[in-house]
Amino acid sequence: MHVVALYWQAIVDGGGVDLELTAIAVAVSVVVGILAAVGRIYGGKLLGGAITVYVEIIRGLPPILQLFIIYFGLSQFQINLSSFSAGLLWLVLYGVGYAVEIFRAGIEAVSVGQREAADALGLTRVQALRKIILPQAWMVMLPSLMTFLVLQVKNTTLLYLVGIADIMYQARLGTSATEQPAIMYGMAAIAYLIINLTLSRIGSTLERRQALYR
Amino acid sequence: MSTLQLWGQYLPQFLAGLVVSLQLTGAALVLALALGTLLVLARTGRIRILAAIATGYVEVFRAVPVLVLLFTAYYSLAQLGLRLPGFWAGVVALGAFYGTLYGEDMRSGLQSVDPGQREAAVALGLSNGAVMRRVVLPQAFLAFLPPGTNELSNLIKDTSLVLTIGVTDLMFQANAAAAATFQPMDMFLLAGVVYFAFYILLSRILARWELNVQRRRS
């Protein structure tokens, strides 16, 4: 059991790296995702089409392949990104692809009548989005946004492949030093379990609180 | 060598990798559907303790990343005396995770059937088995199809994780070719084309199948 005592600090450090990357990536992809969703719905054929193709590519390719294209693939053109920036860039690009769809579904779930009423009242499109549509879409989107957050935490497990010192990286390092994979990957599993179950608890609490305002 | 020549040279290897990816997908899908069915039976059944175990299983396995499950199936089980070949470790890990998703999809499919349908069937004198087989399940299946096929395309993508334990799937072949040719972008793009072509093909086929099933039923 002294293996646990020896390595738990490393796992916690790795968890910090994972959470930091997830937080930055999710924040960026939510902002870009809203803009892209608006672009997809109101942006006309060309912009909307381009965004749709982007979403399809992100959804159609395996995450590992996307990460390798950014980290190893770009090096063929002498673009050498650091582990951290390659990992973050991938999380953002991937996240935007998912966030667009979440926001689009949320915005489209708000009834057309609401949009027309805002128009009739003389609100501009931006005002209508900010004051009428997004606040209502928010409630529809909350569950999928929490799923998205958990998905991104899970995606950080791939980052050890490009050398980011996340939980998996620490667990593998510990495994090669101690030859105790059961304990090391058990610790990793528990770390992810704690993070993700906490996130989904927060999500369901938020949902319940939001439901009160309906 | 030009990119196209390289692609031509490596394509057979990539297709051999794709076959492994598909075998992995098929085996994992069978395991996931079986496990999902068991989970639904346990969660909707009368035995409390089984329902609690199934609920706990779903909560835990949905929260743990597939890669951790994969390493557990491959390395940890070996330490504990159960040495699985890489391919089967992949099947177990993917099946264990996707079983929770399929279980949830089946459950919501069942719940989407209006209780009135069941009551009407009972009132018409159908036996319990016939109610399930002829009234409830066909309708539940319709509701299950869209999320179920969506999960399948995610499963195919997730098979690429077995690269990390040395199973020679499509992703593994791409990675090996990238290292051998020093042209990683070319090789990963080829892998991307193969994955993407397959993804588009499969989603079109599944979408058509869904439409067919819906038409026949309505």
Side-chain angles (χ1 to χ4, degrees):
Chain A
M1 273 300 107
H2 72 286
V3 175
V4 176
L6 212 57
Y7 280 96
W8 77 270
Q9 186 58 47
I11 298 276
V12 170
D13 289 348
V17 173
D18 279 340
L19 287 179
E20 187 188 343
L21 279 161
T22 307
I24 303 173
V26 167
V28 175
S29 46
V30 162
V31 174
V32 180
I34 293 180
L35 294 177
V38 171
R40 200 185 148 173
I41 298 173
Y42 303 106
K45 269 204 180 131
L46 199 66
L47 183 61
I51 295 170
T52 309
V53 169
Y54 177 79
V55 169
E56 280 285 299
I57 289 175
I58 291 291
R59 297 215 157 189
L61 295 182
I64 272 198
L65 185 63
Q66 298 174 19
L67 179 63
F68 279 17
I69 285 177
I70 292 171
Y71 188 67
F72 299 112
L74 286 180
S75 72
Q76 190 180 326
F77 308 114
Q78 273 69 51
I79 302 172
N80 294 306
L81 298 173
S82 71
S83 300
F84 190 86
S85 33
L88 187 58
L89 180 61
W90 169 60
L91 283 178
V92 168
L93 291 177
Y94 184 89
V96 168
Y98 270 78
V100 176
E101 284 304 280
I102 295 173
F103 285 108
R104 187 185 61 90
I107 291 172
E108 284 180 347
V110 178
S111 80
V112 187
Q114 297 281 326
R115 214 173 300 171
E116 288 168 352
D119 262 351
L121 287 171
L123 293 177
T124 64
R125 206 166 252 178
V126 176
Q127 279 176 325
L129 262 177
R130 267 189 38 216
K131 310 244 159 166
I132 313 285
I133 297 173
L134 282 179
Q136 297 180 68
W138 179 240
M139 305 223 261
V140 183
M141 293 179 313
L142 209 54
S144 2
L145 279 177
M146 288 317 286
T147 316
F148 171 56
L149 203 52
V150 172
L151 179 74
Q152 285 291 55
V153 170
K154 287 184 179 178
N155 276 334
T156 59
T157 53
L158 299 182
L159 299 177
Y160 91 88
L161 288 165
V162 298
I164 292 179
D166 75 326
I167 294 177
M168 286 312 272
Y169 182 92
Q170 302 289 2
R172 286 185 71 84
L173 214 61
T175 301
S176 51
T178 62
E179 295 182 355
Q180 302 266 12
I183 293 178
M184 296 311 303
Y185 294 127
M187 282 165 73
I190 290 169
Y192 283 113
L193 205 57
I194 292 171
I195 294 174
N196 284 339
L197 287 183
T198 311
L199 285 178
S200 31
R201 280 291 123 75
I202 294 174
S204 41
T205 313
L206 280 177
E207 248 172 83
R208 241 175 288 130
R209 211 170 277 176
Q210 288 266 343
L212 292 181
Y213 290 104
R214 279 196 202 227
Chain B
M1 230 191 277
S2 79
T3 303
L4 275 181
Q5 274 174 310
L6 265 184
W7 281 23
Q9 192 188 332
Y10 278 94
L11 193 61
Q13 231 161 297
F14 277 48
L15 293 180
L18 180 64
V19 171
V20 175
S21 299
L22 294 183
Q23 287 168 337
L24 199 56
T25 306
L29 180 66
V30 170
L31 179 61
L33 287 173
L35 183 62
T37 311
L38 285 181
L39 286 172
V40 174
L41 288 177
R43 288 183 83 169
T44 52
R46 298 220 182 82
I47 308 167
R48 277 254 180 88
I49 182 105
L50 277 184
I53 290 173
T55 308
Y57 177 90
V58 171
E59 286 267 308
V60 169
F61 277 73
R62 267 209 310 197
V64 176
V66 182
L67 196 61
V68 178
L69 298 178
L70 184 65
F71 285 178
T72 303
Y74 190 63
Y75 297 112
S76 305
L77 287 186
Q79 189 195 345
L80 303 174
L82 182 62
R83 202 171 290 276
L84 291 175
F87 181 88
W88 291 105
V91 171
V92 168
L94 290 167
F97 176 68
Y98 278 88
T100 65
L101 301 184
Y102 277 119
E104 291 298 284
D105 293 342
M106 290 177 195
R107 202 166 64 118
S108 52
L110 283 173
Q111 279 169 351
S112 76
V113 180
D114 190 292
Q117 296 281 328
R118 201 175 310 218
E119 289 156 16
V122 172
L124 286 170
L126 270 76
S127 70
N128 269 339
V131 171
M132 211 49 191
R133 230 179 30 247
R134 319 198 80 160
V135 180
V136 178
L137 283 183
Q139 298 185 64
F141 184 63
L142 260 191
F144 163 78
L145 262 189
T149 54
N150 187 30
E151 237 73 273
L152 178 58
S153 61
N154 287 334
L155 172 59
I156 293 170
K157 284 183 283 169
D158 272 352
T159 58
S160 61
L161 294 173
V162 298
L163 151 87
T164 57
I165 56 171
V167 178
T168 55
D169 74 326
L170 176 54
M171 191 63 217
F172 182 94
Q173 299 289 4
N175 202 35
T181 59
F182 295 110
Q183 310 222 15
M185 187 60 109
D186 297 344
M187 296 334 280
F188 287 135
L189 282 184
L190 177 58
V193 170
V194 176
Y195 271 118
F196 199 70
F198 187 69
Y199 166 77
I200 293 285
L201 190 73
L202 187 84
S203 50
R204 289 291 125 78
I205 293 173
L206 289 176
R208 178 157 299 180
W209 183 49
E210 263 176 54
L211 212 67
N212 267 341
V213 173
Q214 264 163 8
R215 275 213 200 106
R216 248 185 297 140
R217 293 282 161 75
S218 56

